[in-house]
Amino acid sequence: GVTQSPTHLIKTRGQQVTLRCSSQSGHNTVSWYQQALGQGPQFIFQYYREEENGRGNFPPRFSGLQFPNDSSELNVNALELDDSALYLCASSPTAGGQDTQYFGPGTRLTVL
Amino acid sequence: GENVEQHPSTLSVQEGDSAVIKCTYSDSASNYFPWYKQELGKRPQLIIDIRSNVGEKKDQRIAVTLNKTAKHFSLHITETQPEDSAVYFCAATDKLIFGTGTRLQVFP
């Protein structure tokens, strides 16, 4: 299945953070979501075969990478208090939004 | 921009009753409509999905209906059980947009 690390993370405002995701075997697409408490997942961006394949309404300080070995990263620079949330990655066998998203357990980020 | 509205935000039912959650979407290009269940502290899990060439789909106690003309789709859970208690999210995923969620509580 989809795995994420770390499980929890505490950072201070202005710092940078890297979150990691390992996709389900055979999936070439990974999407990242931010889920604030009590809200639905908000789409950050999607990567397909190591290229960005769509982006939501998030500033450029949110960036990502996808590697050939089905792993990916979400990087957030200049952390703000509002970045505190659960970050979910999801892999799928096809690009776009036409197929099942398999979610990881998430990384809980707290910004102080 | 595109959005997905979901109602109600909370729903309380007695065990054995039915529950209905409704979503409307704005992007007419959407062709795939999944429903996810998220239990407290856990990841969202797909429970049922429907594509735009189908009007209804059933899987045991769960069904989803789609009205493409009106741009709305609904989740129906029959014979609810306490373990159905969770937050449910709809999505219209051409732009990977999720609804705001419905907290379902099933009382024994």
Side-chain angles (χ1 to χ4, degrees), chain A residues 2 31 33 35 38-43 46 86 88 96-105, chain B residues 29 31-32 36 38 41-46 49 51 89 93-101:
Chain A
V2 182
S31 303
Y33 297 85
Q35 187 176 26
Q39 302 292 318
Q42 297 290 311
F43 175 64
Q46 182 183 86
L86 179 69
L88 295 160
Q98 302 297 316
D99 217 331
T100 304
Q101 303 278 308
Y102 294 86
F103 283 89
Chain B
N31 288 312
Y32 177 62
Y36 287 85
Q38 188 174 28
K42 297 194 174 179
R43 71 190 78 187
Q45 301 240 346
L46 180 76
D49 56 12
R51 298 187 186 273
F89 294 100
T93 59
D94 284 74
K95 295 292 188 292
L96 296 171
I97 298 172
F98 281 73
T100 50

Side-chain angles (χ1 to χ4, degrees), chain A residues 59-73:
Chain A
R61 60 189 184 85
F62 286 78
S63 63
L65 284 171
Q66 185 185 26
F67 303 102
N69 65 351
D70 295 334
S71 66
S72 63
E73 289 180 354

Side-chain angles (χ1 to χ4, degrees), chain B residues 71-95:
Chain B
K71 295 185 192 173
H72 65 72
F73 56 112
S74 301
L75 177 71
H76 304 254
I77 305 175
T78 58
E79 301 171 29
T80 54
Q81 300 167 5
E83 49 266 38
D84 294 329
S85 297
V87 179
Y88 291 80
F89 294 100
C90 63
T93 59
D94 284 74
K95 295 292 188 292

Side-chain angles (χ1 to χ4, degrees), chain A residues 14-73:
Chain A
Q15 284 189 311
Q16 179 265 342
V17 69
T18 297
L19 310 182
R20 294 179 173 83
C21 172
S22 180
S23 299
Q24 189 159 316
S25 178
H27 287 185
N28 56 20
T29 302
V30 64
S31 303
W32 285 90
Y33 297 85
Q34 180 193 69
Q35 187 176 26
L37 206 59
Q39 302 292 318
Q42 297 290 311
F43 175 64
I44 302 174
F45 44 57
Q46 182 183 86
Y47 277 80
Y48 170 66
R49 293 184 176 176
E50 301 165 51
E51 297 285 333
E52 188 176 292
N53 184 49
R55 187 178 185 93
N57 189 27
F58 279 81
R61 60 189 184 85
F62 286 78
S63 63
L65 284 171
Q66 185 185 26
F67 303 102
N69 65 351
D70 295 334
S71 66
S72 63
E73 289 180 354

Side-chain angles (χ1 to χ4, degrees), chain B residues 33-44:
Chain B
F33 307 91
W35 286 89
Y36 287 85
K37 175 183 179 182
Q38 188 174 28
E39 296 178 71
L40 192 63
K42 297 194 174 179
R43 71 190 78 187

Side-chain angles (χ1 to χ4, degrees), chain B residues 47-48 57-64 75-78:
Chain B
I47 55 171
I48 195 166
K57 183 177 178 180
K58 273 187 175 181
D59 183 4
Q60 299 182 342
R61 298 186 296 110
I62 296 173
V64 56
L75 177 71
H76 304 254
I77 305 175
T78 58

